[in-house]
Amino acid sequence: MVGFMAQDMDKKGTKIRILRAAKKEFASNGFAGARMDSIAKTAKANKAMIHYYFDTKEKLYREVLFFVVGRTQTEQLPLGVPDVDVSPSESLASSIYFIVSMHYDCFDPEFHRMMAWDMAEGNHHGRVLIQEVFAPAMERLESVIIEGVKSGEFETENPIFEVWTIISSIVHYMRSRDLFKGSPMQKKLYPENGKNVLIDYLTNHVFKSLAPRSVTLPKIPENVKNLLDHELQNLKKNYCEAI
Protein backbone atom coordinates (compact mmCIF):
# COMPACT_ATOMS: atom_id res chain seq x y z
CA MET A 1 0.00 0.00 0.00
CA VAL A 2 2.78 2.42 0.94
CA GLY A 3 4.63 1.50 -2.24
CA PHE A 4 1.63 2.33 -4.40
CA MET A 5 1.15 5.69 -2.62
CA ALA A 6 4.80 6.60 -3.11
CA GLN A 7 4.55 5.63 -6.77
CA ASP A 8 1.45 7.82 -7.24
CA MET A 9 3.18 10.76 -5.55
CA ASP A 10 6.23 10.32 -7.79
CA LYS A 11 4.01 10.30 -10.89
CA LYS A 12 2.25 13.46 -9.72
CA GLY A 13 5.59 15.11 -9.03
CA THR A 14 6.85 14.21 -12.50
CA LYS A 15 3.73 15.61 -14.16
CA ILE A 16 4.01 18.87 -12.23
CA ARG A 17 7.68 19.22 -13.18
CA ILE A 18 6.73 18.72 -16.83
CA LEU A 19 3.89 21.26 -16.59
CA ARG A 20 6.17 23.85 -14.98
CA ALA A 21 8.89 23.27 -17.55
CA ALA A 22 6.37 23.44 -20.39
CA LYS A 23 4.92 26.69 -19.06
CA LYS A 24 8.37 28.25 -19.04
CA GLU A 25 9.12 26.97 -22.56
CA PHE A 26 5.78 28.12 -24.03
CA ALA A 27 6.17 31.52 -22.35
CA SER A 28 9.65 31.98 -23.80
CA ASN A 29 9.11 30.63 -27.32
CA GLY A 30 5.40 30.40 -27.99
CA PHE A 31 3.61 27.25 -29.07
CA ALA A 32 5.30 26.98 -32.46
CA GLY A 33 8.80 27.60 -31.13
CA ALA A 34 8.56 25.40 -28.04
CA ARG A 35 10.67 22.25 -28.18
CA MET A 36 9.79 19.03 -26.40
CA ASP A 37 13.52 18.30 -25.95
CA SER A 38 13.92 21.52 -24.01
CA ILE A 39 10.87 20.79 -21.85
CA ALA A 40 12.18 17.31 -21.08
CA LYS A 41 15.61 18.66 -20.14
CA THR A 42 14.18 21.33 -17.82
CA ALA A 43 11.75 18.85 -16.24
CA LYS A 44 14.50 16.22 -15.89
CA ALA A 45 12.28 13.74 -17.70
CA ASN A 46 12.62 12.00 -21.05
CA LYS A 47 10.43 12.80 -24.06
CA ALA A 48 8.76 9.39 -23.86
CA MET A 49 7.51 10.29 -20.39
CA ILE A 50 6.02 13.56 -21.68
CA HIS A 51 4.20 11.75 -24.47
CA TYR A 52 3.04 9.09 -22.00
CA TYR A 53 1.38 11.68 -19.77
CA PHE A 54 0.22 14.22 -22.36
CA ASP A 55 0.30 12.42 -25.73
CA THR A 56 0.78 15.46 -27.99
CA LYS A 57 2.22 18.96 -27.82
CA GLU A 58 -1.30 20.38 -28.25
CA LYS A 59 -2.62 18.40 -25.28
CA LEU A 60 0.36 19.41 -23.17
CA TYR A 61 -0.31 23.08 -23.97
CA ARG A 62 -3.95 22.67 -23.00
CA GLU A 63 -3.01 21.01 -19.72
CA VAL A 64 -0.61 23.86 -18.96
CA LEU A 65 -3.38 26.41 -19.45
CA PHE A 66 -5.65 24.67 -16.96
CA PHE A 67 -2.72 24.12 -14.59
CA VAL A 68 -2.00 27.86 -14.62
CA VAL A 69 -5.52 28.83 -13.51
CA GLY A 70 -5.46 26.16 -10.83
CA ARG A 71 -8.46 24.32 -12.24
CA THR A 72 -9.15 20.91 -13.67
CA GLN A 73 -11.17 20.87 -16.87
CA THR A 74 -14.33 20.01 -14.92
CA GLU A 75 -13.97 22.64 -12.18
CA GLN A 76 -15.48 26.10 -12.28
CA LEU A 77 -13.31 29.16 -11.73
CA PRO A 78 -14.36 30.81 -8.45
CA LEU A 79 -15.37 34.46 -8.62
CA GLY A 80 -15.78 35.10 -4.94
CA VAL A 81 -19.52 34.46 -4.62
CA PRO A 82 -19.76 31.97 -1.76
CA ASP A 83 -22.80 29.81 -1.24
CA VAL A 84 -24.43 32.03 1.36
CA ASP A 85 -27.44 34.33 1.31
CA VAL A 86 -26.25 37.79 0.27
CA SER A 87 -27.70 40.63 -1.76
CA PRO A 88 -26.58 41.27 -5.36
CA SER A 89 -24.66 44.33 -4.14
CA GLU A 90 -22.83 42.33 -1.49
CA SER A 91 -22.17 39.55 -3.98
CA LEU A 92 -20.71 41.96 -6.56
CA ALA A 93 -18.52 43.70 -3.96
CA SER A 94 -17.33 40.27 -2.81
CA SER A 95 -16.47 39.29 -6.39
CA ILE A 96 -14.41 42.44 -6.94
CA TYR A 97 -12.55 41.81 -3.68
CA PHE A 98 -11.87 38.20 -4.63
CA ILE A 99 -10.86 38.76 -8.27
CA VAL A 100 -8.44 41.58 -7.43
CA SER A 101 -6.93 39.55 -4.57
CA MET A 102 -6.61 36.49 -6.78
CA HIS A 103 -4.75 38.42 -9.48
CA TYR A 104 -2.47 40.14 -6.97
CA ASP A 105 -1.65 37.02 -4.99
CA CYS A 106 -1.35 34.69 -7.99
CA PHE A 107 0.09 36.93 -10.70
CA ASP A 108 1.95 34.76 -13.19
CA PRO A 109 3.93 36.70 -15.84
CA GLU A 110 4.71 33.49 -17.73
CA PHE A 111 1.00 32.87 -18.28
CA HIS A 112 0.53 36.37 -19.70
CA ARG A 113 3.49 35.85 -22.03
CA MET A 114 1.90 32.57 -23.17
CA MET A 115 -1.30 34.43 -24.01
CA ALA A 116 0.64 37.15 -25.83
CA TRP A 117 2.42 34.49 -27.91
CA ASP A 118 -0.90 32.78 -28.59
CA MET A 119 -2.40 35.97 -30.02
CA ALA A 120 0.75 36.83 -31.98
CA GLU A 121 0.93 33.38 -33.57
CA GLY A 122 -2.75 33.39 -34.41
CA ASN A 123 -3.10 29.84 -33.11
CA HIS A 124 -5.76 30.65 -30.53
CA HIS A 125 -4.95 27.63 -28.42
CA GLY A 126 -5.91 29.78 -25.46
CA ARG A 127 -9.44 30.03 -26.79
CA VAL A 128 -10.30 26.81 -24.95
CA LEU A 129 -9.55 28.57 -21.67
CA ILE A 130 -11.95 31.37 -22.58
CA GLN A 131 -14.69 29.01 -23.70
CA GLU A 132 -14.45 26.49 -20.88
CA VAL A 133 -13.31 28.55 -17.89
CA PHE A 134 -13.56 32.33 -18.19
CA ALA A 135 -16.78 32.68 -20.21
CA PRO A 136 -18.83 30.56 -17.76
CA ALA A 137 -17.32 32.53 -14.86
CA MET A 138 -18.24 35.82 -16.53
CA GLU A 139 -21.78 34.58 -17.09
CA ARG A 140 -22.12 33.81 -13.39
CA LEU A 141 -21.01 37.35 -12.54
CA GLU A 142 -23.38 38.72 -15.19
CA SER A 143 -26.26 36.91 -13.48
CA VAL A 144 -25.42 38.75 -10.24
CA ILE A 145 -25.74 42.10 -12.01
CA ILE A 146 -28.96 41.04 -13.74
CA GLU A 147 -30.40 40.04 -10.36
CA GLY A 148 -29.37 43.44 -9.00
CA VAL A 149 -31.17 45.19 -11.86
CA LYS A 150 -34.32 43.18 -11.10
CA SER A 151 -34.14 44.07 -7.41
CA GLY A 152 -33.60 47.76 -8.17
CA GLU A 153 -30.07 47.88 -6.74
CA PHE A 154 -28.39 48.40 -10.13
CA GLU A 155 -29.13 50.29 -13.31
CA THR A 156 -27.51 49.19 -16.58
CA GLU A 157 -28.58 48.32 -20.10
CA ASN A 158 -25.67 45.96 -20.66
CA PRO A 159 -24.69 43.74 -17.69
CA ILE A 160 -22.06 41.74 -19.60
CA PHE A 161 -20.21 44.95 -20.54
CA GLU A 162 -20.11 45.83 -16.86
CA VAL A 163 -18.50 42.43 -16.24
CA TRP A 164 -16.03 43.01 -19.07
CA THR A 165 -15.08 46.40 -17.60
CA ILE A 166 -14.32 44.79 -14.24
CA ILE A 167 -12.30 41.87 -15.63
CA SER A 168 -10.39 43.79 -18.30
CA SER A 169 -9.47 46.60 -15.88
CA ILE A 170 -7.93 44.15 -13.43
CA VAL A 171 -6.13 42.08 -16.08
CA HIS A 172 -4.69 45.11 -17.88
CA TYR A 173 -3.61 46.67 -14.58
CA MET A 174 -1.68 43.55 -13.62
CA ARG A 175 -0.18 43.00 -17.07
CA SER A 176 1.16 46.56 -17.09
CA ARG A 177 2.90 46.36 -13.74
CA ASP A 178 6.36 45.57 -15.12
CA LEU A 179 6.05 48.29 -17.77
CA PHE A 180 5.91 51.00 -15.10
CA LYS A 181 8.87 49.75 -13.06
CA GLY A 182 11.36 52.56 -12.54
CA SER A 183 9.03 55.22 -13.90
CA PRO A 184 7.61 58.18 -11.91
CA MET A 185 4.18 56.51 -12.14
CA GLN A 186 5.19 53.27 -10.45
CA LYS A 187 4.55 54.37 -6.87
CA LYS A 188 1.33 56.12 -7.86
CA LEU A 189 -0.15 53.20 -9.76
CA TYR A 190 1.40 50.36 -7.77
CA PRO A 191 1.85 51.47 -4.16
CA GLU A 192 2.73 49.04 -1.39
CA ASN A 193 -0.95 48.63 -0.51
CA GLY A 194 -1.90 48.50 -4.20
CA LYS A 195 -4.29 45.59 -3.79
CA ASN A 196 -6.48 47.46 -1.30
CA VAL A 197 -6.25 50.66 -3.33
CA LEU A 198 -7.45 48.85 -6.44
CA ILE A 199 -10.26 47.07 -4.58
CA ASP A 200 -11.53 50.36 -3.15
CA TYR A 201 -11.21 52.26 -6.41
CA LEU A 202 -12.82 49.58 -8.56
CA THR A 203 -15.67 49.02 -6.10
CA ASN A 204 -16.42 52.75 -6.06
CA HIS A 205 -16.17 53.01 -9.84
CA VAL A 206 -18.35 49.98 -10.56
CA PHE A 207 -21.09 50.86 -8.11
CA LYS A 208 -21.25 54.46 -9.28
CA SER A 209 -21.50 53.17 -12.83
CA LEU A 210 -24.30 50.78 -11.96
CA ALA A 211 -26.15 53.23 -9.75
CA PRO A 212 -25.57 56.80 -11.03
CA ARG A 213 -28.02 58.15 -8.45
CA SER A 214 -26.90 58.55 -4.83
CA VAL A 215 -25.46 55.24 -3.72
CA THR A 216 -24.20 53.72 -0.50
CA LEU A 217 -21.38 51.29 -1.11
CA PRO A 218 -22.05 47.90 0.49
CA LYS A 219 -19.83 46.46 3.16
CA ILE A 220 -18.86 42.85 2.59
CA PRO A 221 -20.44 40.81 5.41
CA GLU A 222 -17.81 39.51 7.82
CA ASN A 223 -18.85 35.86 7.36
CA VAL A 224 -18.57 36.26 3.58
CA LYS A 225 -15.16 37.92 3.84
CA ASN A 226 -13.96 35.07 6.06
CA LEU A 227 -15.09 32.54 3.46
CA LEU A 228 -13.35 34.50 0.70
CA ASP A 229 -10.12 34.75 2.68
CA HIS A 230 -10.26 31.00 3.33
CA GLU A 231 -10.69 30.31 -0.38
CA LEU A 232 -7.84 32.69 -1.20
CA GLN A 233 -5.58 30.90 1.28
CA ASN A 234 -6.41 27.57 -0.38
CA LEU A 235 -5.75 29.11 -3.79
CA LYS A 236 -2.35 30.42 -2.73
CA LYS A 237 -1.43 27.12 -1.09
CA ASN A 238 -2.61 24.80 -3.86
CA TYR A 239 -1.77 26.94 -6.88
CA CYS A 240 0.35 30.05 -6.29
CA GLU A 241 2.97 28.21 -4.28
CA ALA A 242 2.93 25.28 -6.70
CA ILE A 243 3.61 27.10 -9.97
Side-chain angles (χ1 to χ4, degrees), residues 57 119 224:
K57 186 178 178 181
M119 294 179 65
V224 174

Side-chain angles (χ1 to χ4, degrees), residues 59-222:
K59 289 182 180 179
L60 174 59
Y61 190 92
R62 180 186 176 106
E63 288 291 329
V64 169
L65 292 177
F66 282 92
F67 172 68
V68 167
V69 296
R71 301 283 104 184
T72 67
Q73 295 180 23
T74 58
E75 289 179 314
Q76 290 186 332
L77 185 71
L79 280 182
V81 186
D83 188 20
V84 294
D85 186 19
V86 294
S87 69
S89 291
E90 291 169 335
S91 183
L92 182 58
S94 300
S95 294
I96 293 171
Y97 169 81
F98 187 85
I99 297 169
V100 172
S101 298
M102 181 175 65
H103 276 77
Y104 247 92
D105 296 339
C106 298
F107 180 70
D108 187 347
E110 288 181 344
F111 169 70
H112 290 288
R113 288 199 293 271
M114 280 182 65
M115 292 297 93
W117 269 109
D118 197 70
M119 294 179 65
E121 292 177 331
N123 292 325
H124 304 298
H125 288 93
R127 197 173 284 169
V128 64
L129 205 62
I130 299 296
Q131 294 171 346
E132 298 185 18
V133 177
F134 292 111
M138 291 175 68
E139 287 177 344
R140 294 198 302 277
L141 191 53
E142 179 191 23
S143 69
V144 171
I145 296 177
I146 291 173
E147 187 63 30
V149 171
K150 291 179 180 177
S151 67
E153 296 175 50
F154 304 146
E155 289 183 4
T156 181
E157 296 180 357
N158 204 320
I160 194 61
F161 269 66
E162 298 289 348
V163 174
W164 176 250
T165 298
I166 296 170
I167 302 299
S168 60
S169 296
I170 297 170
V171 171
H172 186 67
Y173 175 84
M174 295 306 300
R175 281 181 177 174
S176 302
R177 186 163 59 178
D178 286 344
L179 296 176
F180 286 94
K181 279 185 176 180
S183 76
M185 298 300 294
Q186 181 181 359
K187 290 184 178 180
K188 292 183 178 181
L189 287 172
Y190 302 92
E192 290 185 5
N193 61 335
K195 179 169 73 173
N196 292 329
V197 171
L198 183 57
I199 289 171
D200 291 343
Y201 169 78
L202 200 55
T203 302
N204 274 276
H205 179 80
V206 168
F207 275 86
K208 287 177 180 178
S209 172
L210 287 170
R213 59 192 183 281
S214 179
V215 59
T216 300
L217 296 177
K219 179 177 175 61
I220 301 175
E222 194 62 29

